[in-house]
Amino acid sequence: MNFISTKGTSIASIEEALMSGTSEDGGLYMPESIPKINIEELMTIDNYQEFSYQLLSHFFKDSSLEDDLKDIVNQAFNFPVVSKEYNEDEVQYSVLELFHGPTAAFKDFGARFLASTMSELAKNKNESSLTTILVATSGDTGGAVASAFNNKTDFKVVILFPKGRVSPRQKHQLTCWGDNVVSIEVDGEFDDCQRLVKEAFNNQQLSKQHNLCSANSINIGRLLPQSTYYAWTALNRFKAHEDSSSFIIPTGNLGNAFACFMAKEMGFPIHQIVFATNANKTIPDFIATGKWEPRPTLPTLASAMDVGNPSNMERFFNQYSDEKKLLENLEAYIVEDAQINEEILSVFEKNNIAICPHTATAFNAFKNLPSSALNQSHWVLVSTAHPAKFENIVEPIIATKVEIPENLKTILNLETSYHTIGKDLESLIPYLEH
Ligand SMILES: *Cc1c(COP(=O)(O)O)cnc(C)c1O
């Protein structure tokens, strides 16, 4: 299958799309068409890894990775996808827990898959040159990418994170890897980190010299694997109840929600996709006004969703030539910090479960759905991170300690080290040196 840039001029194989992240014309890669999948054939599979392999093989047909795909998927998805059902005041819903990977956020799915595919491609290449993964993070991406690439010797990872904007445990996860991982705190916002990455990539000489490569959520190699857990969850629900699922997704850069859109396009029984945002409301404002107006990022309690210019919106624009149609199909709820706070408390009091501030946006949006929407499909609230990762926010609200899961404990026992730099490219360059 070929991959075509959203700007329309670059065409790439899956290998090229994975390794380059963005295309030469500055667009984002998309499959030339999203395949319609015969879901009957997948109905009998009761193992998530096997299911994901079958699904993803449509995108890897005739590529050099085709024969390795099964191993790649098994290696990357070595932790469970957990769906729990709740019944509250006669309303049934599910919570899809995507935080059982090594860094306790859903980003492990995409990062581990990308690391395994890139590493396979590096093995197939004859020359042994080091590739530098340069990644800007608002907190969770960096940890997931560092963890995924940490033992891959063909790669060096440079992580940029904003000073004072990540939780203490996130910071630990960003700075505890050593070896081939360099962690850099930037005296600025997430937007500054992202700009630095862009400037480095746009600098041809720098980019060539260090073999720079992106692992941000604009890389199609992160979105494809994320579509599998939506497909899997919706199909399992359909098998048991013969109904379709709607997902409420805590949304920042819109990668996770776009992955759900792809699963829907492939033909899985998905009804509505609802975005829950924090006070960074570029997407809800677009839906309300029809005007796309990116803006500076506001810091919120759900910091991994602090994105003022969601990059993956370009993929939605690309999928709909008719903007009116696009607007009709999008639905979003804004959840401000005060509501996040209330939601964490109320879910704890009612259900005795702790949820992270990002997940709280989905719970709050669910409460605000029109009652007519409740009966049309089964609702699934997406839980994007484990609450213990944001204990500094969650514990004071619920006045209870959140138990640390084993995956996080392992990481929190590692020593940390990092560098601090200003928000200019000159300060970054020395750290790119091999
Ligand atoms: C990254 C992240 C999000 C936002 O996901 P996008 O794909 O950027 O929309 C939500 N919650 C958590 C915990 C995250 O780490």
Side-chain angles (χ1 to χ4, degrees):
M1 175 180 286
N2 281 326
F3 287 73
I4 300 179
S5 147
T6 49
K7 294 255 195 309
T9 49
S10 304
I11 299 186
S13 63
I14 188 142
E15 290 92 339
E16 290 162 338
L18 288 170
M19 289 307 281
S20 56
T22 48
S23 67
E24 272 179 13
D25 64 11
L28 309 182
Y29 282 120
M30 280 295 299
E32 63 187 335
S33 66
I34 298 178
K36 291 280 178 232
I37 292 182
N38 180 354
I39 61 173
E40 295 282 321
E41 280 172 13
L42 299 177
M43 288 270 205
T44 53
I45 304 174
D46 54 12
N47 169 293
Y48 174 60
Q49 284 77 11
E50 176 63 21
F51 172 87
S52 301
Y53 161 64
Q54 295 286 348
L55 178 56
L56 292 171
S57 64
H58 289 267
F59 297 89
F60 285 80
K61 261 197 195 107
D62 303 324
S63 80
S64 65
L65 292 165
E66 194 174 7
D67 293 341
D68 302 312
L69 187 62
K70 199 169 193 143
D71 287 340
I72 290 172
V73 172
N74 286 339
Q75 213 185 81
F77 296 174
N78 62 347
F79 54 92
V81 170
V82 176
S83 184
K84 291 183 180 160
E85 296 215 0
Y86 291 85
N87 195 334
E88 196 183 298
D89 308 330
E90 311 272 295
V91 179
Q92 274 189 21
Y93 61 93
S94 299
V95 175
L96 178 60
E97 296 182 354
L98 300 178
F99 52 67
H100 297 283
T103 68
F106 79 86
K107 298 214 168 63
D108 284 323
F109 288 92
R112 291 181 64 79
F113 183 81
L114 190 64
S116 294
T117 47
M118 279 186 173
S119 166
E120 209 53 54
L121 288 173
K123 263 193 240 158
N124 296 348
K125 228 175 33 177
N126 289 328
E127 76 223 73
S128 62
S129 57
L130 202 61
T131 299
T132 301
I133 306 288
L134 178 61
V135 59
T137 183
S138 60
D140 284 338
T141 293
V145 168
S147 158
F149 280 95
N150 188 218
N151 51 3
K152 311 262 188 238
T153 48
D154 294 308
F155 298 87
K156 167 179 171 166
V157 181
V158 179
I159 309 171
L160 306 181
F161 63 95
K163 186 173 180 173
R165 295 273 187 248
V166 300
S167 82
R169 283 190 189 151
Q170 275 182 318
K171 186 166 174 176
H172 196 108
Q173 274 190 3
L174 293 169
T175 57
C176 67
W177 304 100
D179 290 338
N180 62 340
V181 179
V182 181
S183 309
I184 301 179
E185 180 184 68
V186 175
D187 196 357
E189 308 289 329
F190 170 63
D191 290 353
D192 295 310
C193 300
Q194 220 170 11
R195 175 180 48 79
L196 281 179
V197 168
K198 268 199 192 128
E199 284 176 15
F201 277 103
N202 289 342
N203 183 320
Q204 294 285 335
Q205 195 225 334
L206 205 60
S207 178
K208 266 227 168 74
Q209 183 189 350
H210 300 297
N211 222 344
L212 291 185
C213 202
S214 149
N216 274 358
S217 75
I218 47 176
N219 193 313
I220 191 74
R222 280 188 44 189
L223 300 192
L224 293 176
Q226 287 176 200
S227 64
T228 65
Y229 46 72
Y230 292 110
W232 171 248
T233 305
L235 194 59
N236 280 337
R237 173 75 199 182
F238 184 77
K239 274 178 2 189
H241 301 272
E242 292 198 351
D243 59 359
S244 61
S245 299
S246 291
F247 291 89
I248 308 184
I249 305 175
T251 291
N253 210 24
L254 210 51
N256 204 14
F258 191 78
C260 187
F261 171 82
M262 284 199 288
K264 182 177 174 170
E265 289 296 297
M266 289 175 215
F268 289 93
I270 296 173
H271 185 58
Q272 264 175 288
I273 302 171
V274 173
F275 311 147
T277 74
N278 59 24
N280 292 281
K281 53 197 175 83
T282 306
I283 300 165
D285 282 355
F286 168 64
I287 297 169
T289 66
K291 286 199 200 97
W292 181 247
E293 292 179 322
R295 52 194 70 149
T297 301
L298 295 173
T300 75
L301 291 175
S303 56
M305 292 155 56
D306 290 350
V307 184
N309 185 5
S311 317
N312 285 297
M313 193 65 205
E314 188 165 326
R315 290 194 157 105
F316 277 103
F317 284 129
N318 173 258
Q319 287 295 299
Y320 289 86
S321 48
D322 180 354
E323 196 165 301
K324 244 201 186 145
K325 259 232 159 92
L326 168 64
L327 286 164
E328 279 167 19
N329 276 287
L330 299 183
E331 195 170 339
Y333 287 82
I334 304 164
V335 185
E336 304 274 351
D337 273 0
Q339 294 161 289
I340 290 177
N341 210 308
E342 274 170 31
E343 200 61 45
I344 292 173
L345 184 60
S346 105
V347 170
F348 184 71
E349 285 177 341
K350 256 201 201 142
N351 304 349
N352 201 24
I353 53 169
I355 54 173
C356 90
H358 312 83
T359 304
T361 65
F363 274 80
N364 189 265
F366 182 54
K367 253 192 203 158
N368 290 312
L369 288 179
S371 54
S372 60
L374 288 181
N375 306 322
Q376 287 172 8
S377 59
H378 177 68
W379 285 87
V380 182
L381 319 190
V382 176
S383 184
T384 49
H386 193 283
K389 212 171 165 175
F390 302 92
E391 89 291 0
N392 57 325
I393 295 167
V394 177
E395 290 181 351
I397 296 173
I398 63 174
T400 306
K401 282 248 172 273
V402 179
E403 203 179 320
I404 306 175
E406 286 306 318
N407 46 355
L408 266 185
K409 267 189 204 154
T410 310
I411 287 175
L412 293 174
N413 283 331
L414 303 171
E415 299 266 324
T416 63
S417 81
Y418 62 96
H419 311 274
T420 304
I421 65 166
K423 50 187 178 185
D424 57 295
L425 188 60
E426 283 307 307
S427 310
L428 171 63
I429 289 173
Y431 296 100
L432 296 175
E433 298 301 327
H434 292 153

